[in-house]
Amino acid sequence: SQQGEEDPQALSIQEGENATMNCSYKTSINNLQWYRQNSGRGLVHLILIRSNEREKHSGRLRVTLDTSKKSSSLLITASRAADTASYFCATDAVGYSTLTFGKGTMLLVSP
Amino acid sequence: EPEVTQTPSHQVTQMGQEVILRCVPISNHLYFYWYRQILGQKVEFLVSFYNNEISEKSEIFDDQFSVERPDGSNFTLKIRSTKLEDSAMYFCASSRTSDQETQYFGPGTRLLVL
């Protein structure tokens, strides 16, 4: 079965720095989505990138997708303390609509 | 902005009791999902629902679980006889179509089985 796996598991940076998180998966996908979760709270959708796209931007977020390497990265530029959260990638396999989540990267942004 | 809502936000129940978790998906969405997240673990897919039928389900979704869309707005997950290991955060999600579309998640219901 496919599996999204993020690295690093945890990332600690200072405000103003950029944060890069990576995700790898195993099977062919329709889309890859990134979600954010504040501690013990719900999942907030950040960005969706389709399998035929290579890069997408949304505000301070930049997502890349390399289907040949089955990997994606999420870059948060000029991070803020409020960006502190866990970030998950989720993929849906070709022919399925269900999402498979990775374990997530816990990001801590210190003021 | 429309959002998925879930009730209750927290539920505590005794082992063996039935629980019903409720969700109101986004109004023009056609596909509905339940996921769960055991504390400290990955978010896991349980079931998807379309056109008043289950379209996909995972191994987790055994006979103890059922889903229903009792009216035009609610989508429920019932756990017939709860076990300790059912303790988790349960998320409802909805999407407009089945693929190439964002799934929007509700805030979750935290279920604790004692």
Side-chain angles (χ1 to χ4, degrees):
Chain A
S1 61
Q2 69 173 28
Q3 189 174 26
E5 293 292 345
E6 296 89 340
D7 75 86
Q9 290 186 342
L11 181 61
S12 182
I13 59 174
Q14 299 289 318
E15 259 190 333
E17 294 180 340
N18 295 340
T20 299
M21 290 160 269
N22 302 298
C23 167
S24 61
Y25 57 92
K26 293 183 179 177
T27 63
S28 296
I29 61 171
N30 288 319
N31 314 292
L32 186 143
Q33 305 187 46
W34 283 91
Y35 288 86
R36 163 196 165 125
Q37 184 181 37
N38 286 60
S39 180
R41 307 289 293 276
L43 294 162
V44 175
H45 182 261
L46 296 176
I47 199 163
L48 178 152
I49 186 164
R50 304 194 192 288
S51 58
N52 62 353
E53 296 177 315
R54 293 294 166 259
E55 189 171 311
K56 206 159 182 181
H57 296 254
S58 176
R60 292 184 296 115
L61 306 181
R62 173 178 167 252
V63 169
T64 62
L65 179 64
D66 186 336
T67 52
S68 67
K69 295 181 179 176
K70 292 187 168 59
S71 68
S72 173
S73 68
L74 170 67
L75 168 68
I76 304 174
T77 59
S79 62
R80 305 166 183 166
D83 294 329
T84 294
S86 290
Y87 292 82
F88 297 89
C89 70
T91 54
D92 56 336
V94 174
Y96 296 90
S97 61
T98 64
L99 294 179
T100 299
F101 282 81
K103 291 181 181 176
T105 293
M106 194 176 304
L107 173 67
L108 174 63
V109 182
S110 302
Chain B
E1 186 176 326
E3 58 184 18
V4 176
T5 59
Q6 289 184 244
T7 55
S9 59
H10 295 78
Q11 178 139 9
V12 181
T13 190
Q14 295 290 324
M15 193 168 57
Q17 294 295 305
E18 174 183 287
V19 295
I20 297 176
L21 309 182
R22 291 183 166 78
C23 169
V24 179
I26 294 173
S27 62
N28 64 346
H29 286 188
L30 301 177
Y31 290 81
F32 315 117
Y33 311 86
W34 283 102
Y35 293 81
R36 78 170 185 192
Q37 185 181 32
I38 293 171
L39 188 64
Q41 298 188 23
K42 291 184 183 185
V43 175
E44 302 171 291
F45 166 72
L46 293 177
V47 65
S48 62
F49 192 85
Y50 168 71
N51 200 25
N52 285 320
E53 287 185 340
I54 290 174
S55 46
E56 296 171 65
K57 61 181 181 178
S58 71
E59 292 175 352
I60 302 167
F61 193 86
D62 61 22
D63 292 344
Q64 292 298 314
F65 292 89
S66 62
V67 288
E68 196 178 32
R69 187 151 163 84
D71 53 43
S73 59
N74 290 285
F75 178 51
T76 63
L77 174 69
K78 182 192 292 186
I79 308 175
R80 245 179 287 282
S81 177
T82 50
K83 304 170 192 154
L84 296 177
E85 54 265 36
D86 293 328
S87 295
M89 181 80 100
Y90 287 81
F91 293 107
C92 173
S94 69
S95 64
R96 199 165 54 88
T97 63
S98 64
D99 60 4
Q100 303 209 5
E101 283 285 340
T102 298
Q103 290 187 22
Y104 293 91
F105 282 73
T109 292
R110 186 174 294 283
L111 176 66
L112 178 60
V113 182
L114 302 175

